Every structure is written in structure tokens, then in C-alpha cells.
Amino acid sequence: MTDESTKTDETPGYLSRKVVVSSENGLHARPAGRLAQEAQTFDSEISLVVDGQSVDAKSILDILTLAAGPGNLVELRAEGADAAAALDRLEALFLNKFEGA
């Protein structure tokens, strides 16, 4: 996992952070639901990007379409007033394998 937030000319308007899916079953229904539920608590627009496919992080169904398995690199993107806080919270979920956090 990298703990970097970027806002450059190449990624205008949003903050980005990269995380790795470390749970052995990947982003299946339970962690996808938890991720969507947490994302919905923020006003910012939040998306997940895996292998060039971008989806709305506030939708469990969209997250499940990523089929992100163990070891997959996921880019978290957020744009809005609470973007940094959203990335911090969602990254913590990944770091804790969606347990507690």
C-alpha cells in the first residue's frame, strides 16, 4: 500500500490513493458492502479503479463488477470537500482487511 495523495496536472480535481486487496477472498459481497456503506457517509464523489475500470464506490453492485481478487491493486479516487478524509477512511478498511477499522 502506498500512503500518497496526489493532486497534479495529470489528475486534476481529485485525490488518489493506491491500496492492495489483502483479504484472501478479495472484494466479495461483505467487504464490498462495507466499503460502499462507508463511502456513502462522505459528500465527495468516490470511485475505485482496477485495471482501468472505474466504478462508483458508493454502489455495492458496481464494486462487485470489479471482481477484485487478493493482491489486486485498487486506486481510490475522491473529489470534493471531504475527499482526504474519505480516502483515509477507505484506506483504513483495506489495511484492516475490512475488520474493525
Side-chain angles (χ1 to χ4, degrees), residues 1-2 6 21 30 36-37 45-46 49 52 59 64 66-67 70-73 76 92 98:
M1 317 244 172
T2 58
T6 57
V21 178
R30 186 184 60 78
Q37 185 177 30
E45 291 184 29
I46 307 168
V49 182
S59 167
L64 289 172
L66 290 173
N72 279 133
L73 183 66
L76 305 171
F98 297 90

Side-chain angles (χ1 to χ4, degrees), residues 5-45:
S5 292
T6 57
K7 193 169 184 178
T8 68
D9 291 338
E10 295 156 6
T11 56
Y14 63 82
L15 299 177
S16 173
R17 193 159 307 159
K18 294 181 181 175
V19 295
V20 174
V21 178
S22 56
S23 55
E24 72 179 49
N25 294 319
L27 278 180
H28 59 89
R30 186 184 60 78
R34 178 99 190 272
L35 185 61
Q37 185 177 30
E38 289 293 334
Q40 289 168 13
T41 67
F42 296 95
D43 292 328
S44 292
E45 291 184 29

Side-chain angles (χ1 to χ4, degrees), residues 25-98:
N25 294 319
L27 278 180
H28 59 89
R30 186 184 60 78
R34 178 99 190 272
L35 185 61
Q37 185 177 30
E38 289 293 334
Q40 289 168 13
T41 67
F42 296 95
D43 292 328
S44 292
E45 291 184 29
I46 307 168
S47 59
L48 304 178
V49 182
V50 174
D51 295 330
Q53 181 183 357
S54 178
V55 300
D56 181 0
K58 297 180 181 184
S59 167
I60 184 174
L61 293 177
D62 284 1
I63 295 169
L64 289 172
T65 65
L66 290 173
N72 279 133
L73 183 66
V74 176
E75 182 180 4
L76 305 171
R77 292 181 181 173
E79 180 175 5
D82 57 0
L87 292 180
D88 288 345
R89 182 68 183 133
L90 299 182
E91 181 183 38
L93 287 175
F94 279 90
L95 289 171
N96 292 305
K97 299 181 183 179
F98 297 90

